[in-house]
Amino acid sequence: MAKIVSDEKLSLFVAKIFQAYGLHQKEAEICTSVLVESDLRGIPSHGVARLKRYTDGMDSGLIRADARPEIVQEGPSTATVDGNGGLGQIIGHFATELAILKAQDTGVGVVSVRNSNHYGIAGYYAQMMLKKELLGISMTNSAPLVVPTFGKEMVIGTNPISLAAPTHKQEPFFLDMATSVVPRGKLEVYEREGKDLPEGWAVDESGKTTQDAGKVLQNMLGRTGGGILPLGGEGELFSGYKGYGMAVMVDILSGVLSGGAYANRVYAKKEGKTIPPNVCHFFLALDIERFVDLEVFKQNMDDLILLLKNSEKAKGQNHIFIHGEKEYENYRNHKRNGIPLQEKVYQILESLGEQHNILFDISK
Amino acid sequence: MAKIVSDEKLSLFVAKIFQAYGLHQKEAEICTSVLVESDLRGIPSHGVARLKRYTDGMDSGLIRADARPEIVQEGPSTATVDGNGGLGQIIGHFATELAILKAQDTGVGVVSVRNSNHYGIAGYYAQMMLKKELLGISMTNSAPLVVPTFGKEMVIGTNPISLAAPTHKQEPFFLDMATSVVPRGKLEVYEREGKDLPEGWAVDESGKTTQDAGKVLQNMLGRTGGGILPLGGEGELFSGYKGYGMAVMVDILSGVLSGGAYANRVYAKKEGKTIPPNVCHFFLALDIERFVDLEVFKQNMDDLILLLKNSEKAKGQNHIFIHGEKEYENYRNHKRNGIPLQEKVYQILESLGEQHNILFDISK
């Protein structure tokens, strides 16, 4: 059963939790916005359901609530940012604003970030650039959960890529995708529902594809072999090395280019002890006007979208989706009718409120 | 049966063919190099086997051998290039050199290109940037052969993405991948060998996956419905919308950003008549030193590669490949032992030599 909550009341509540950790109001609002926007867009796995992980991180000191990002190297179009182990959302927001300013100034802004934490949905930052009518790209590496082609050890993250591009009358194009075939959350859903996994989603401790969601999740937890497959699946038959290659590309642009961590050096342990995860991001903003007239770009985006949408449908299908379309619809629906929050998530938020003595009133 | 040919003699011959179309020696060498490098790397589908398509294009006027690319808009880090319908290799080379200069000057070079033609392997241009110790990205849109998720009409190209990054002792990372699950050439191999296609490679005229390579190829030729699936395959189960999304991303960065063609406006017909294909490219060069010490970057690239290579193998596997590894090995092998050229390709080259009165002597 889900509780229906108001995004506005939810935001006020979550922001107060972040403020309880010493964040200024503006910072707390940024962190909150990244989470609540995910719920609004229908991506609850990256929404307020994660709040407890962030507060746990701040409680343990693995996420430093008092750390602020700093620019360690800078040129007119480029920057390297050190997150100093702070909150990923504050760091991501800072780096994106920097990329936006550089793009507005020189046509391009490229910012690579090290020593950050989980920054929420990659798309949040691409959307920030979109709001300034820029073409925005955002990527991040992440906890190693994915096996490389022919491997059985989780060495790479689900390393998502997001791109947002403005349009004229159509809704903006908004791609936000992990480079793995599925996220871990999808395996959890199959386990809960007692369903067999499709072959080609995940491998077991032998490195072979398996239908046993429970076994995979247990192995992943213990890191005893096996994990999620890259986009394209097992082996080379469906070109799994392409998803694997895209994931490494994200690691290079974020982790290696920033001088931070990559592959399974992200969320690594040192001498058996948990250390800050050193998550790394990459942002690219392009000022469209420096390449082509912005109105021409937007009208051609509309045209591109309509060419795709209006093309002939496969038998039994009546709709070709454009990236972002489902999320925009969820957003409108959840804004109007409230966000459905899992009972368990609702209770966790309630107890966080008690713990920090913050009034818990989020019902729609 | 394959003929074994010398890459050096092959290059001399192919360059003379291009010169016969009025190209200067340097330009002819660029066009030749893109083709022969493909053969050396073991990608014969994009090698000299395509020469006839280029000469046919120049003969018919669809590729303008006399056209030269020009910069139509420019900033310190950005440029839009109009290829004026010339040879894709000359245009790609020109735009990449421009991206390199801008990256060396400002840290980043972003060049979007319109009105070009097929430019060969995307990786050639990423390798040009790599040779300057830059991080190089190259993308291109292409003839529409791929159906969007839930569609059955070929609206998007196989739109490849390439990234090359320098290393210390390891071979450079070199990703060069189509965003479709397979290239058309793979279907042709299955048809020749009378093998069933794996389900999830291509769809028939109903838009459903099929094992019949012959039918798919025939439908593709007549554009009567069906085509290749995006990376991730049919429908949403294996996230085919991600490959579809990557392909649209390439179209946006190359076709829409440059003010050129995209989706099935590339290689489109106008009033039943074939018109110049208006292929578009995108190049991004990053000067690593502007982000992190180059030696640190290279050593971390080595480390990343070894983390992947040395991770545990799936049962029955003893090797995890790094992107580019197979191509580098092919290159060394073909440099030493000669390039194996299909009899049919050899004969086509021979007759091109006769046609242009150029001595045909390419044997190893």
Side-chain angles (χ1 to χ4, degrees), chain B residues 72-86:
Chain B
V72 289
Q73 200 176 341
E74 191 174 20
S77 302
T78 60
T80 306
V81 166
D82 192 322
N84 289 319

Side-chain angles (χ1 to χ4, degrees), chain A residues 149-170:
Chain A
T149 304
F150 298 142
K152 68 170 187 177
E153 199 182 329
M154 299 188 295
V155 197
I156 31 179
T158 54
N159 295 9
I161 299 172
S162 178
L163 178 144
T167 43
H168 180 54
K169 290 189 177 169
Q170 298 296 312

Side-chain angles (χ1 to χ4, degrees), chain A residues 236-253:
Chain A
E236 296 183 328
L237 191 62
F238 295 98
S239 303
Y241 55 90
K242 294 183 181 177
Y244 157 37
M246 298 302 299
V248 178
M249 180 181 93
V250 173
D251 255 329
I252 293 171
L253 291 170

Side-chain angles (χ1 to χ4, degrees), chain A residues 72-80 106-108 110-112 114 135 137 148-153 155-156 161 163 165 173 175 177-183 186 190 198-201 206-208 225 231-232 236-246 248-249 251-253 255-260 262-265 282 284 286-293 296-301 303-304 307-323 326, chain B residues 72-80 106-108 110-112 114 135 137 148-153 155-156 161 163 165 173 175 177-183 186 190 198-201 206-208 225 231-232 236-246 248-249 251-253 255-260 262-265 282 284 286-293 296-301 303-304 307-317 319-323 326:
Chain A
V72 289
Q73 200 175 341
E74 192 174 19
S77 303
T78 61
T80 306
T106 71
V108 197
V110 184
V111 180
S112 194
R114 68 186 182 222
L135 205 164
I137 290 178
T149 304
F150 298 142
K152 68 170 187 177
E153 199 182 329
V155 197
I156 31 179
I161 299 172
L163 178 144
F173 179 84
L175 176 70
M177 55 168 266
T179 51
S180 55
V181 63
V182 283
K186 207 77 172 260
Y190 271 63
E199 291 191 358
W201 278 19
S206 75
K208 289 288 158 192
L231 179 64
E236 296 183 328
L237 191 62
F238 295 98
S239 303
Y241 55 90
K242 294 183 181 177
Y244 157 37
M246 298 302 299
V248 178
M249 180 181 93
D251 255 329
I252 293 171
L253 291 170
V256 187
L257 190 62
S258 69
Y262 39 81
N264 53 1
R265 299 212 183 283
F282 177 80
L284 170 65
L286 295 176
D287 183 2
I288 293 159
E289 286 278 12
R290 309 293 178 111
F291 294 90
V292 67
D293 182 85
V296 169
F297 180 94
K298 287 179 175 183
Q299 273 162 15
N300 286 354
M301 279 302 301
D303 182 45
L304 168 59
L307 286 171
L308 293 163
K309 279 197 93 66
N310 296 336
S311 74
E312 287 179 56
K313 315 298 178 287
K315 199 176 162 182
Q317 301 296 338
N318 54 27
H319 195 102
I320 290 170
F321 290 91
I322 301 302
H323 301 81
K326 291 182 185 181
Chain B
V72 289
Q73 200 176 341
E74 191 174 20
S77 302
T78 60
T80 306
T106 71
V108 198
V110 183
V111 180
S112 194
R114 69 186 183 221
L135 206 164
I137 290 179
T149 304
F150 298 142
K152 68 170 188 177
E153 198 181 331
V155 197
I156 33 179
I161 298 173
L163 178 143
F173 178 86
L175 175 70
M177 54 168 268
T179 51
S180 56
V181 63
V182 283
K186 208 74 172 263
Y190 271 62
E199 291 190 359
W201 278 17
S206 75
K208 290 287 158 193
L231 180 63
E236 295 184 327
L237 191 63
F238 296 97
S239 303
Y241 54 90
K242 294 184 180 176
Y244 156 38
M246 300 301 299
V248 178
M249 181 181 91
D251 256 328
I252 293 172
L253 290 170
V256 187
L257 190 62
S258 69
Y262 39 79
N264 53 0
R265 299 212 183 281
F282 177 80
L284 170 64
L286 295 176
D287 183 2
I288 294 160
E289 285 280 12
R290 310 292 178 112
F291 294 90
V292 68
D293 183 85
V296 171
F297 180 94
K298 287 180 175 183
Q299 274 163 15
N300 286 354
M301 279 302 302
D303 182 45
L304 168 59
L307 286 171
L308 293 163
K309 280 196 91 66
N310 297 336
S311 73
E312 287 179 56
K313 315 298 178 286
K315 200 175 162 183
Q317 301 296 338
H319 195 102
I320 290 171
F321 290 91
I322 302 300
H323 301 81
K326 291 183 185 181

Side-chain angles (χ1 to χ4, degrees), chain A residues 96-135:
Chain A
T96 303
E97 284 205 322
L98 192 59
I100 288 171
L101 285 174
K102 289 181 182 297
Q104 287 170 335
D105 192 29
T106 71
V108 197
V110 184
V111 180
S112 194
V113 180
R114 68 186 182 222
N115 288 328
S116 183
N117 277 286
H118 192 278
Y119 77 167
I121 46 169
Y124 184 86
Y125 311 95
Q127 287 278 343
M128 279 178 65
M129 304 186 233
L130 178 72
K131 280 177 192 149
K132 303 289 182 184
E133 302 224 280
L134 302 171
L135 205 164

Side-chain angles (χ1 to χ4, degrees), chain A residues 24-225:
Chain A
H24 297 298
Q25 190 183 335
K26 170 85 170 38
E27 295 167 332
E29 281 170 4
I30 289 166
C31 294
T32 300
S33 164
V34 179
L35 297 181
V36 177
E37 286 279 320
S38 291
D39 285 308
L40 282 168
R41 292 182 194 287
I43 313 155
S45 60
H46 286 59
V48 295
R50 279 193 183 247
L51 180 59
K52 182 79 163 60
R53 290 202 220 173
Y54 295 116
T55 58
D56 283 352
M58 291 188 284
D59 287 335
S60 71
L62 284 175
I63 300 177
R64 289 182 49 208
D66 63 333
R68 293 297 170 270
E70 59 181 328
I71 299 169
V72 289
Q73 200 175 341
E74 192 174 19
S77 303
T78 61
T80 306
V81 166
D82 193 321
N84 289 318
L87 277 153
Q89 290 85 346
I90 292 177
I91 299 161
H93 189 273
F94 174 86
T96 303
E97 284 205 322
L98 192 59
I100 288 171
L101 285 174
K102 289 181 182 297
Q104 287 170 335
D105 192 29
T106 71
V108 197
V110 184
V111 180
S112 194
V113 180
R114 68 186 182 222
N115 288 328
S116 183
N117 277 286
H118 192 278
Y119 77 167
I121 46 169
Y124 184 86
Y125 311 95
Q127 287 278 343
M128 279 178 65
M129 304 186 233
L130 178 72
K131 280 177 192 149
K132 303 289 182 184
E133 302 224 280
L134 302 171
L135 205 164
I137 290 178
S138 158
M139 306 179 189
T140 186
N141 62 17
S142 54
L145 300 176
V146 177
V147 302
T149 304
F150 298 142
K152 68 170 187 177
E153 199 182 329
M154 299 188 295
V155 197
I156 31 179
T158 54
N159 295 9
I161 299 172
S162 178
L163 178 144
T167 43
H168 180 54
K169 290 189 177 169
Q170 298 296 312
E171 284 176 319
F173 179 84
F174 177 40
L175 176 70
D176 190 2
M177 55 168 266
T179 51
S180 55
V181 63
V182 283
R184 172 156 56 178
K186 207 77 172 260
L187 307 183
E188 289 164 352
V189 171
Y190 271 63
E191 192 203 17
R192 267 202 303 278
E193 298 178 356
K195 278 163 65 178
D196 280 351
L197 294 182
E199 291 191 358
W201 278 19
V203 295
D204 65 15
E205 65 280 0
S206 75
K208 289 288 158 192
T209 188
T210 178
Q211 300 196 289
D212 187 340
K215 187 161 75 170
V216 173
L217 287 166
Q218 205 181 329
N219 286 341
M220 287 175 75
L221 206 63
R223 304 195 78 81
T224 49

Side-chain angles (χ1 to χ4, degrees), chain B residues 175-238:
Chain B
L175 175 70
D176 190 2
M177 54 168 268
T179 51
S180 56
V181 63
V182 283
R184 172 156 56 178
K186 208 74 172 263
L187 307 184
E188 289 164 352
V189 170
Y190 271 62
E191 192 203 18
R192 267 202 302 277
E193 297 178 358
K195 279 164 63 179
D196 280 350
L197 294 182
E199 291 190 359
W201 278 17
V203 295
D204 64 16
E205 64 280 0
S206 75
K208 290 287 158 193
T209 187
T210 176
Q211 300 195 291
D212 186 341
K215 187 162 72 170
V216 173
L217 288 165
Q218 205 181 327
N219 286 342
M220 287 174 76
L221 205 64
R223 304 195 79 80
T224 49
I228 303 172
L229 283 162
L231 180 63
E234 189 183 19
E236 295 184 327
L237 191 63
F238 296 97

